[in-house]
CSV table of all heavy atoms in Angstrom, one decimal:
chain,number,residue,atom,x,y,z
A,225,ASN,N,110.2,71.4,110.8
A,225,ASN,CA,110.2,72.7,111.4
A,225,ASN,C,109.9,72.6,112.9
A,225,ASN,O,109.3,71.7,113.4
A,225,ASN,CB,109.3,73.8,110.7
A,225,ASN,CG,107.8,73.4,111.0
A,225,ASN,OD1,107.2,73.7,111.9
A,225,ASN,ND2,107.2,72.6,109.9
A,226,GLU,N,110.5,73.6,113.6
A,226,GLU,CA,110.5,73.4,115.1
A,226,GLU,C,109.1,73.4,115.7
A,226,GLU,O,108.9,72.7,116.8
A,226,GLU,CB,111.2,74.7,115.6
A,226,GLU,CG,111.3,74.9,117.2
A,226,GLU,CD,112.0,76.1,117.6
A,226,GLU,OE1,112.4,76.9,116.8
A,226,GLU,OE2,112.0,76.3,118.9
A,227,TYR,N,108.1,74.1,115.2
A,227,TYR,CA,106.8,74.1,115.7
A,227,TYR,C,105.7,73.1,115.1
A,227,TYR,O,104.6,73.1,115.6
A,227,TYR,CB,106.3,75.6,115.6
A,227,TYR,CG,107.0,76.4,116.6
A,227,TYR,CD1,108.0,77.2,116.2
A,227,TYR,CD2,106.5,76.7,117.9
A,227,TYR,CE1,108.8,78.1,117.0
A,227,TYR,CE2,107.3,77.4,118.7
A,227,TYR,CZ,108.4,78.2,118.3
A,227,TYR,OH,109.2,78.9,119.2
A,228,GLY,N,106.2,72.3,114.4
A,228,GLY,CA,105.3,71.1,113.9
A,228,GLY,C,104.3,71.6,112.8
A,228,GLY,O,103.3,70.9,112.7
A,229,PHE,N,104.4,72.7,112.2
A,229,PHE,CA,103.6,73.1,111.1
A,229,PHE,C,103.5,72.1,110.0
A,229,PHE,O,104.6,71.7,109.6
A,229,PHE,CB,103.8,74.5,110.6
A,229,PHE,CG,103.6,75.6,111.6
A,229,PHE,CD1,104.6,76.4,112.0
A,229,PHE,CD2,102.3,75.8,112.1
A,229,PHE,CE1,104.4,77.3,112.9
A,229,PHE,CE2,102.0,76.9,112.9
A,229,PHE,CZ,103.1,77.6,113.4
A,230,GLY,N,102.5,71.7,109.5
A,230,GLY,CA,102.5,70.7,108.3
A,230,GLY,C,102.6,71.5,107.0
A,230,GLY,O,102.6,72.7,106.9
A,231,LYS,N,103.0,70.7,106.0
A,231,LYS,CA,103.3,71.3,104.8
A,231,LYS,C,102.0,72.1,104.2
A,231,LYS,O,102.2,73.0,103.3
A,231,LYS,CB,103.7,70.3,103.7
A,231,LYS,CG,104.2,70.8,102.3
A,231,LYS,CD,104.7,69.7,101.5
A,231,LYS,CE,105.1,70.2,100.1
A,231,LYS,NZ,105.6,69.2,99.2
A,232,SER,N,100.9,71.7,104.6
A,232,SER,CA,99.6,72.2,104.2
A,232,SER,C,99.2,73.4,105.1
A,232,SER,O,98.0,74.1,104.9
A,232,SER,CB,98.4,71.3,104.2
A,232,SER,OG,98.3,70.7,105.5
A,233,ALA,N,100.1,73.9,106.0
A,233,ALA,CA,99.7,75.1,106.9
A,233,ALA,C,99.3,76.2,106.1
A,233,ALA,O,100.1,76.5,105.1
A,233,ALA,CB,100.7,75.3,107.9
A,234,HIS,N,98.3,76.9,106.4
A,234,HIS,CA,97.8,78.0,105.4
A,234,HIS,C,97.2,79.2,106.1
A,234,HIS,O,97.8,80.3,105.9
A,234,HIS,CB,96.6,77.4,104.5
A,234,HIS,CG,96.0,78.3,103.6
A,234,HIS,ND1,96.7,78.9,102.6
A,234,HIS,CD2,94.7,78.8,103.6
A,234,HIS,CE1,95.9,79.8,101.9
A,234,HIS,NE2,94.7,79.7,102.5
A,235,SER,N,96.3,79.0,107.1
A,235,SER,CA,95.6,80.2,107.8
A,235,SER,C,96.4,80.7,108.9
A,235,SER,O,96.4,80.3,110.0
A,235,SER,CB,94.2,79.8,108.3
A,235,SER,OG,93.5,79.4,107.1
A,236,VAL,N,97.4,81.8,108.6
A,236,VAL,CA,98.2,82.3,109.6
A,236,VAL,C,97.5,82.8,110.9
A,236,VAL,O,98.0,82.5,111.9
A,236,VAL,CB,99.1,83.3,109.0
A,236,VAL,CG1,100.0,83.9,110.0
A,236,VAL,CG2,99.9,82.9,107.8
A,237,LEU,N,96.5,83.6,110.6
A,237,LEU,CA,95.8,84.3,111.7
A,237,LEU,C,94.7,83.6,112.4
A,237,LEU,O,94.1,84.1,113.4
A,237,LEU,CB,95.4,85.8,111.3
A,237,LEU,CG,96.5,86.6,110.7
A,237,LEU,CD1,95.9,87.9,110.1
A,237,LEU,CD2,97.6,86.9,111.8
A,238,THR,N,94.4,82.4,111.8
A,238,THR,CA,93.2,81.7,112.4
A,238,THR,C,93.6,80.2,112.8
A,238,THR,O,93.9,80.0,113.9
A,238,THR,CB,91.9,81.8,111.6
A,238,THR,OG1,92.3,81.2,110.3
A,238,THR,CG2,91.4,83.2,111.4
A,239,THR,N,93.4,79.4,111.9
A,239,THR,CA,93.6,77.9,112.2
A,239,THR,C,94.9,77.5,112.8
A,239,THR,O,94.9,76.7,113.7
A,239,THR,CB,93.4,77.2,110.9
A,239,THR,OG1,92.1,77.5,110.3
A,239,THR,CG2,93.4,75.6,111.1
A,240,GLU,N,96.0,78.3,112.5
A,240,GLU,CA,97.3,77.8,112.9
A,240,GLU,C,97.7,78.5,114.2
A,240,GLU,O,98.8,78.2,114.8
A,240,GLU,CB,98.3,78.0,111.9
A,240,GLU,CG,98.1,77.3,110.5
A,240,GLU,CD,98.0,75.7,110.7
A,240,GLU,OE1,98.6,75.3,111.7
A,240,GLU,OE2,97.5,75.1,109.8
A,241,VAL,N,96.9,79.3,114.7
A,241,VAL,CA,97.3,80.2,116.0
A,241,VAL,C,97.1,79.3,117.2
A,241,VAL,O,96.1,78.7,117.4
A,241,VAL,CB,96.4,81.4,116.0
A,241,VAL,CG1,96.7,82.1,117.5
A,241,VAL,CG2,96.8,82.5,115.0
A,242,ARG,N,98.2,79.2,118.0
A,242,ARG,CA,98.0,78.7,119.4
A,242,ARG,C,98.5,79.7,120.3
A,242,ARG,O,99.7,80.2,120.2
A,242,ARG,CB,98.9,77.4,119.4
A,242,ARG,CG,98.5,76.3,118.5
A,242,ARG,CD,97.1,75.7,118.7
A,242,ARG,NE,96.8,74.6,117.8
A,242,ARG,CZ,96.2,74.8,116.7
A,242,ARG,NH1,95.9,76.0,116.3
A,242,ARG,NH2,96.0,73.8,115.8
A,243,GLU,N,97.8,80.0,121.3
A,243,GLU,CA,98.0,81.2,122.2
A,243,GLU,C,99.2,80.8,123.1
A,243,GLU,O,98.9,80.8,124.4
A,243,GLU,CB,96.8,81.7,122.8
A,243,GLU,CG,95.9,82.3,121.7
A,243,GLU,CD,94.6,82.9,122.4
A,243,GLU,OE1,94.0,82.3,123.3
A,243,GLU,OE2,94.2,84.0,121.9
A,244,VAL,N,100.4,80.6,122.6
A,244,VAL,CA,101.5,80.3,123.5
A,244,VAL,C,102.7,81.2,123.0
A,244,VAL,O,103.0,81.2,121.7
A,244,VAL,CB,102.0,78.9,123.2
A,244,VAL,CG1,103.3,78.6,124.0
A,244,VAL,CG2,100.9,77.9,123.7
A,245,ASP,N,103.3,81.9,123.8
A,245,ASP,CA,104.4,82.8,123.5
A,245,ASP,C,105.5,82.2,122.7
A,245,ASP,O,105.9,81.0,123.0
A,245,ASP,CB,105.0,83.5,124.8
A,245,ASP,CG,104.1,84.6,125.3
A,245,ASP,OD1,103.3,85.2,124.6
A,245,ASP,OD2,104.3,84.9,126.5
A,246,GLY,N,105.8,82.7,121.6
A,246,GLY,CA,106.8,82.1,120.8
A,246,GLY,C,106.4,81.3,119.5
A,246,GLY,O,107.1,81.2,118.6
A,247,GLN,N,105.0,80.8,119.7
A,247,GLN,CA,104.6,80.2,118.6
A,247,GLN,C,104.4,81.2,117.4
A,247,GLN,O,103.8,82.2,117.5
A,247,GLN,CB,103.2,79.6,119.0
A,247,GLN,CG,102.6,78.4,118.0
A,247,GLN,CD,101.6,78.9,117.1
A,247,GLN,OE1,101.3,80.1,116.9
A,247,GLN,NE2,101.0,77.9,116.3
A,248,PRO,N,105.0,80.8,116.2
A,248,PRO,CA,105.1,81.8,115.2
A,248,PRO,C,103.8,82.4,114.7
A,248,PRO,O,103.8,83.7,114.4
A,248,PRO,CB,105.7,81.1,114.0
A,248,PRO,CG,106.6,80.1,114.7
A,248,PRO,CD,105.7,79.5,115.8
A,249,ALA,N,102.7,81.7,114.5
A,249,ALA,CA,101.4,82.3,114.2
A,249,ALA,C,100.9,83.2,115.2
A,249,ALA,O,100.3,84.2,114.9
A,249,ALA,CB,100.5,81.2,113.8
A,250,TYR,N,101.1,82.8,116.5
A,250,TYR,CA,100.6,83.7,117.7
A,250,TYR,C,101.4,85.0,117.6
A,250,TYR,O,101.0,86.1,117.8
A,250,TYR,CB,100.8,83.0,118.9
A,250,TYR,CG,100.4,83.7,120.2
A,250,TYR,CD1,99.1,84.2,120.4
A,250,TYR,CD2,101.3,83.9,121.2
A,250,TYR,CE1,98.8,84.8,121.5
A,250,TYR,CE2,101.0,84.5,122.3
A,250,TYR,CZ,99.7,85.0,122.5
A,250,TYR,OH,99.3,85.7,123.6
A,251,GLU,N,102.7,85.0,117.3
A,251,GLU,CA,103.5,86.1,117.3
A,251,GLU,C,103.2,87.0,115.9
A,251,GLU,O,103.3,88.2,116.0
A,251,GLU,CB,105.0,85.6,117.0
A,251,GLU,CG,105.5,85.0,118.4
A,251,GLU,CD,105.5,85.8,119.8
A,251,GLU,OE1,105.7,87.1,119.6
A,251,GLU,OE2,105.2,85.2,120.8
A,252,ALA,N,102.8,86.2,114.9
A,252,ALA,CA,102.5,87.0,113.7
A,252,ALA,C,101.1,87.8,114.0
A,252,ALA,O,101.0,89.0,113.6
A,252,ALA,CB,102.2,86.0,112.6
A,253,ARG,N,100.2,87.1,114.8
A,253,ARG,CA,98.9,87.9,115.1
A,253,ARG,C,99.2,89.0,116.0
A,253,ARG,O,98.6,90.1,115.9
A,253,ARG,CB,98.0,86.9,115.8
A,253,ARG,CG,96.6,87.4,116.0
A,253,ARG,CD,95.7,86.6,116.8
A,253,ARG,NE,96.1,86.4,118.2
A,253,ARG,CZ,95.4,85.8,119.1
A,253,ARG,NH1,94.3,85.1,118.9
A,253,ARG,NH2,95.8,85.8,120.4
A,254,LYS,N,100.3,88.9,116.9
A,254,LYS,CA,100.7,90.1,117.7
A,254,LYS,C,101.2,91.2,116.9
A,254,LYS,O,100.9,92.3,117.1
A,254,LYS,CB,101.8,89.6,118.7
A,254,LYS,CG,101.4,88.7,119.9
A,254,LYS,CD,102.7,88.5,120.8
A,254,LYS,CE,102.3,87.5,121.9
A,254,LYS,NZ,103.5,87.3,122.7
A,255,ARG,N,101.9,90.8,115.8
A,255,ARG,CA,102.6,91.8,115.0
A,255,ARG,C,101.4,92.6,114.2
A,255,ARG,O,101.5,93.8,113.9
A,255,ARG,CB,103.6,91.2,114.1
A,255,ARG,CG,104.1,92.2,113.0
A,255,ARG,CD,104.7,93.4,113.5
A,255,ARG,NE,105.1,94.4,112.5
A,255,ARG,CZ,105.0,95.7,112.8
A,255,ARG,NH1,104.5,96.3,113.9
A,255,ARG,NH2,105.3,96.6,111.8
A,256,VAL,N,100.4,91.8,113.8
A,256,VAL,CA,99.3,92.4,113.2
A,256,VAL,C,98.6,93.5,114.1
A,256,VAL,O,98.3,94.7,113.6
A,256,VAL,CB,98.3,91.5,112.6
A,256,VAL,CG1,96.9,92.1,112.1
A,256,VAL,CG2,98.7,90.6,111.5
A,257,VAL,N,98.4,93.2,115.3
A,257,VAL,CA,97.7,94.1,116.3
A,257,VAL,C,98.6,95.3,116.4
A,257,VAL,O,98.2,96.5,116.4
A,257,VAL,CB,97.4,93.4,117.6
A,257,VAL,CG1,97.1,94.5,118.6
A,257,VAL,CG2,96.4,92.3,117.4
A,258,GLU,N,100.0,95.1,116.5
A,258,GLU,CA,100.9,96.3,116.7
A,258,GLU,C,100.9,97.1,115.5
A,258,GLU,O,100.9,98.3,115.5
A,258,GLU,CB,102.3,95.6,117.0
A,258,GLU,CG,103.5,96.6,117.1
A,258,GLU,CD,104.8,96.0,117.2
A,258,GLU,OE1,105.1,95.2,116.4
A,258,GLU,OE2,105.5,96.4,118.2
A,259,PHE,N,100.9,96.5,114.3
A,259,PHE,CA,100.9,97.2,112.9
A,259,PHE,C,99.7,98.1,112.9
A,259,PHE,O,99.7,99.3,112.5
A,259,PHE,CB,100.9,96.3,111.9
A,259,PHE,CG,100.9,96.8,110.4
A,259,PHE,CD1,101.9,97.5,109.9
A,259,PHE,CD2,99.6,96.7,109.7
A,259,PHE,CE1,101.7,97.9,108.6
A,259,PHE,CE2,99.6,97.1,108.4
A,259,PHE,CZ,100.6,97.8,107.9
A,260,LEU,N,98.6,97.6,113.2
A,260,LEU,CA,97.3,98.3,113.2
A,260,LEU,C,97.3,99.4,114.2
A,260,LEU,O,96.8,100.5,113.8
A,260,LEU,CB,96.1,97.4,113.4
A,260,LEU,CG,95.8,96.4,112.4
A,260,LEU,CD1,94.7,95.4,112.9
A,260,LEU,CD2,95.3,97.0,111.1
A,261,THR,N,97.8,99.1,115.4
A,261,THR,CA,97.8,100.1,116.4
A,261,THR,C,98.7,101.4,116.0
A,261,THR,O,98.4,102.6,116.1
A,261,THR,CB,98.3,99.6,117.7
A,261,THR,OG1,97.4,98.5,118.0
A,261,THR,CG2,98.4,100.6,118.8
Side-chain angles (χ1 to χ4, degrees):
N225 67 85
E226 180 181 356
Y227 288 90
F229 292 115
K231 187 177 180 180
S232 61
H234 177 66
S235 297
V236 177
L237 299 176
T238 56
T239 304
E240 301 298 339
V241 171
R242 302 294 181 270
E243 292 182 318
V244 177
D245 285 338
Q247 199 256 9
Y250 181 56
E251 296 299 325
R253 194 184 70 172
K254 287 184 185 178
R255 175 57 189 143
V256 168
V257 171
E258 181 184 53
F259 176 72
L260 294 170
T261 302

